[in-house]
Amino acid sequence: MTALEIPASTDRTTTPFARALQAGRAVAGYSVAGPVAALVLAMLFFTLESGQFLQGPNLSLILQQVVEVGVLAIGQTLIILTAGIDLSCGAVMAFGMIVMTKLAVLSGVPAIPAVLLGIGAAAAFGLVNGMFVTKIRLPAFIVTLGTFNIAMAIVHIYSNEQTIANPPSLMTFFGRTFSVGGTDITYAVVLMLALYAVAWYALTQTGWGSHVYAAGNNPEAARLSGIRTDRLLISVYVVAGAIYGLAALLLVARTQVGDPNAGQTDNLDSITAVVLGGTSLFGGRGNVIGTLIGALIVGVFRNGLVLMGVSSVYQILITGILVILAVSVDQLRHRKERG
């Protein structure tokens, strides 16, 4: 009998829920040794190439630069764990950012309600994505490609192509800094790490997280074990959308404006972070901590190449090569597991 089959016994330790919980925790422990090794090697290389790399201000800069994509990648991880993918995340983030800044600056809505409405608007896009994926059974790739274009169009229409400046100070709080050992760290970095901690806990220590892994690993077996897979998938897309809304807030805090052109390539960057972190594109395997490491790998490479004076074109080239290598490893591992 497989881990997700409904057992004959009614003993508490052999219920479908308990089995799904155990299975989820097992795959949540998916090794991050590879991504960690890649990060360490990259840091060693750039340390040897540039004396500035390991200096506190530069490391702080790397963390600040990965905050936006790092938070987007949390939501992207949740969706990829269910064997889906979200191409709309950057555009949804931009939409949430324009909603919250325009409401606060041009409509006079207090900062906190404006932020909550921006996060809610992003979550609403997640709900739309989830409904199309579960109710109409469209591939996530097609649905989110469509909502990417819709969100970008709405951003430009709603903003009138105008950058919204001077958001209230509450919206820019996470752009402020505090000192650690003489190095300034933004509160946005703290929030990003806190979100990763919450995501790790949700995925590894709760029944919801175990069901996410189970549905991604074998959706039919998960359904037969009693997991309401459609409701689960919708919840994943909604939660991911809300996370994109939080990324929007952090982007406002960093840039101090609501920019309708923001986030256009962040969808690809978030997927890059997830893949480099070891999460399988086939679903059911991965760890959100690996995603954080993957985001740091991207940040380290881009920062190190800038310090070396490498053109931005080659930075994109190298990032693309890293993604292909990571996906190739994932494909080979998947084939080996299938026999």
Side-chain angles (χ1 to χ4, degrees), residues 79 82 123-137 208 212 228-242:
I79 292 173
T82 66
F125 259 98
L127 176 62
V128 170
N129 285 338
M131 293 296 288
F132 274 103
V133 168
T134 58
K135 303 305 180 184
I136 305 183
R137 303 298 178 186
W208 180 82
V212 169
R228 303 180 71 170
T229 53
D230 283 359
R231 178 178 293 185
L232 176 70
L233 287 176
I234 290 172
S235 72
V236 166
Y237 279 92
V238 171
V239 169

Side-chain angles (χ1 to χ4, degrees), residues 56-142:
N58 187 61
L59 295 178
S60 175
L61 178 61
I62 293 173
L63 289 174
Q64 293 176 46
Q65 290 173 337
V66 304
V67 161
E68 167 196 331
V69 171
V71 173
L72 284 178
I74 297 174
Q76 188 74 254
T77 301
L78 297 177
I79 292 173
I80 290 179
L81 283 173
T82 66
I85 198 164
D86 192 350
L87 299 179
S88 70
C89 61
V92 170
M93 176 188 68
F95 177 61
M97 176 181 62
I98 290 299
V99 168
M100 64 179 66
T101 53
K102 187 170 182 178
L103 287 175
V105 175
L106 302 181
S107 300
V109 177
I112 292 178
V115 168
L116 293 176
L117 288 169
I119 294 173
F125 259 98
L127 176 62
V128 170
N129 285 338
M131 293 296 288
F132 274 103
V133 168
T134 58
K135 303 305 180 184
I136 305 183
R137 303 298 178 186
L138 293 177
F141 178 90
I142 299 300

Side-chain angles (χ1 to χ4, degrees), residues 296-314:
L296 291 174
I297 291 172
V298 174
V300 164
F301 264 92
R302 289 185 175 173
N303 177 270
L305 292 172
V306 168
L307 291 178
M308 291 174 61
V310 176
S311 167
S312 60
V313 173
Y314 291 100

Side-chain angles (χ1 to χ4, degrees), residues 16-17 20-21 24 82 206-216 222 226-228 232:
F17 177 84
L21 186 63
T82 66
T206 70
W208 180 82
S210 298
H211 290 173
V212 169
Y213 280 104
I227 297 173
R228 303 180 71 170
L232 176 70

